[in-house]
Amino acid sequence: MRSWLHIISRLRPATIQGHLIHMVLALVVIQIAVSWHVISGLTEEMLHEQIGQTALQTARTIAQIPRIRQALIEGDPHGEIQNLAENIRAQTGASFVVIGDSAQKRYSHPVPERIGQTFVGGDTGPALIEGKSYVSEAVGTLGKSLRGMTPIFGEDHDIIGFVSVGYLSESIHQSISAHLDKPLMYIIGMSVVGILSAVVIAGRLRKLTLGLEPSEITNLYLERVAVLQTIREGVLAIDHHGNIRVANQAARRYAGLSFEEHFAGRPVSTIIPEARLEQALHTGLSEFDQERTVNGQELIFNIVPVFQNQKIQGVVASFRRKDELDLLAAELSRVQEYSELLRVQTHEYSNKLHTIAGLIQIEAYREALDLVVTESSGYEEFIRFLGESVPHPVIAAIILGKYNRAKELRINFAIDRDSTMADVPKWIHQEKIVTVLGNLLDNAFDAVLEQPQQLRMVEMSFTDLGKDIVFEIEDAGAGVAVDQLERIFEKGVSSKGRGRRGVGLYLVRQRLGELAGQIMVSRGSLGGALFTVVIPKEQT
């Protein structure tokens, strides 16, 4: 039993080409068997009918010969019937031509010794009794044969004998086999064509499947399903018709779709129209970090078209909830801000320590003491101001970090001491205010760096009195050109040249849009740009 199983396992095809050839061979074998059965059956039936009719027609013709009728009446004293019957048999190719009288006595036979004996077969009744002509199949002295039987009538239309013309079944089978040679060659030829076609199709199929075998394709499919269901990002794939092909569990969860419903094959425009995936089908352009609101949920989409032979075959989109990404961004922002704060403080204190050390070395003790007192009191006073006016650690940290950054850049950064920001509603994410303040202050610092030392001034004030939170950041730079006032908040637009520029103000506008806030640009009293930010306290 094990040996048979081993043989079967060895014969089992391992490649897709082998699978296809085996299937085609099995189909060809079935086709040959069915075709041979049908063709041989039809051929045998047609030849059987044709030979039977030929035998009957020959028998009828013989029964109409006057010399045979006359010799049969006279008892054939000269053996004339045998000679005529044998001549006709030789000319027609029949196996036998037997002529007998009404008593079934033979007057002709292929074997002369059997002349005068009784006809064998038992099928003469309808001819001798009823006068009918017919085709029958019976076993005679020569074997089983197909016979044409017809009566011989005398001058008074009485039955005086019969004629039996027959073909042995053996010779009929030989004739049928000869007629089946051509159909057999046709079937074999079609089988060869089928096998060759299977080889060509298998090669083409292997190319279409990138050379992967069935087991590899199965493993890839199972792995793809496992990967798609385990990753945390939502994945949605559509074909070139815009119908959904894949939607993993995360995609269903983020988009608020049912986990049990079957979405494959359905148009994405009817399931998640807000994703606007069909747009990538028409444009062929990738989209990254695009915000979409799907079923009331803010999502960040990355959309990439899939090309094959320069044609778009579909689109794949991955997305996650915006608040999850914002949380990660906030954590990263905090780490970066704290890291920057420590770096700036370390650098600044290093400079101060070097200065104090130098003053001591040159014995300028009074100046060293004054510097220590001035730095200590000024910084402590600023920290105390932030603690009282901005009791929000994240916002206070960004202001402190930029204060130290300004000192490092030797920029006079002044904050209105009447400013206050104690009343920040809980619905306003402080990380968004951090993004707004950080980018506006960085722009202000960059704007004054090219100015002389005495003109490097940046001022900031803020207030939370009333129904809005208001920031004002002013610099002594060159200001914003009039032709750029409408474009400075667009992504990639910057007055500082190309490269990785034109992103800060774009992010500012995005975050203010999320907070339903506004930003205005004008010329300030310092001669440069004045940015005014207004954020409503009440959630709209």
Side-chain angles (χ1 to χ4, degrees), residues 16-125:
I16 192 169
Q17 190 170 12
H19 276 283
L20 191 57
I21 292 176
H22 276 64
M23 288 189 291
V24 171
L25 282 176
L27 183 62
V28 166
V29 170
I30 296 174
Q31 179 185 1
I32 289 175
V34 174
S35 300
W36 182 257
H37 176 74
V38 173
I39 293 175
S40 61
L42 290 175
T43 302
E44 182 176 359
E45 184 179 350
M46 291 173 61
L47 288 177
H48 196 278
E49 179 68 19
Q50 182 180 355
I51 292 172
Q53 292 300 319
T54 299
L56 181 59
Q57 188 62 36
T58 302
R60 285 175 174 172
T61 302
I62 294 172
Q64 298 298 323
I65 298 176
R67 290 176 59 190
I68 291 180
R69 184 187 301 126
Q70 187 63 35
L72 189 59
I73 293 173
E74 295 175 354
D76 191 23
H78 305 292
E80 187 177 6
I81 294 177
Q82 171 68 4
N83 292 332
L84 290 172
E86 285 300 299
N87 288 334
I88 294 172
R89 183 179 70 83
Q91 293 176 4
T92 59
S95 299
F96 61 86
V97 176
V98 176
I99 302 173
D101 58 15
S102 58
Q104 301 187 32
K105 176 184 176 181
R106 299 192 189 104
Y107 284 86
S108 65
H109 197 277
V111 181
E113 290 78 9
R114 297 177 183 174
I115 296 175
Q117 298 179 1
T118 302
F119 184 79
V120 178
D123 55 346
T124 57

Side-chain angles (χ1 to χ4, degrees), residues 247-263:
N248 68 347
Q249 297 295 324
R252 294 169 181 261
R253 181 172 64 255
Y254 291 147
L257 303 177
S258 170
F259 288 91
E260 290 78 20
E261 192 172 354
H262 185 70
F263 294 105

Side-chain angles (χ1 to χ4, degrees), residues 185-296:
M185 294 303 297
Y186 171 77
I187 292 175
I188 293 175
M190 291 301 296
S191 302
V192 173
V193 171
I195 295 173
L196 294 178
S197 300
V199 174
V200 174
I201 294 172
R204 174 63 177 168
L205 188 59
R206 184 178 178 84
K207 183 178 180 181
L208 292 175
T209 58
L210 305 178
L212 297 175
E213 299 299 339
S215 58
E216 296 173 326
I217 296 174
T218 302
N219 291 335
L220 281 177
Y221 174 77
L222 295 176
E223 291 169 1
R224 188 198 71 162
V225 171
V227 169
L228 288 176
Q229 300 306 332
T230 53
I231 61 177
R232 295 183 61 185
E233 280 195 314
V235 176
L236 190 65
I238 63 174
D239 59 20
H240 62 285
H241 295 298
N243 297 325
I244 295 176
R245 298 295 302 275
V246 175
N248 68 347
Q249 297 295 324
R252 294 169 181 261
R253 181 172 64 255
Y254 291 147
L257 303 177
S258 170
F259 288 91
E260 290 78 20
E261 192 172 354
H262 185 70
F263 294 105
R266 296 172 60 180
V268 70
S269 58
T270 63
I271 306 300
I272 312 179
E274 302 90 346
R276 302 197 295 275
L277 300 186
E278 306 93 327
Q279 181 177 345
L281 283 178
H282 300 302
T283 63
L285 300 177
S286 300
E287 300 180 51
F288 299 101
D289 299 329
Q290 296 298 310
E291 295 186 17
R292 304 277 197 274
T293 302
V294 178
N295 291 334

Side-chain angles (χ1 to χ4, degrees), residues 78 104 131 157 163 181 194 252 278 325-326 333 461 464 539:
H78 305 292
Q104 301 187 32
H157 295 287
V163 178
D181 288 343
R252 294 169 181 261
E278 306 93 327
L325 297 178
D326 285 343
S333 177
S461 64
D464 57 0
Q539 188 172 9

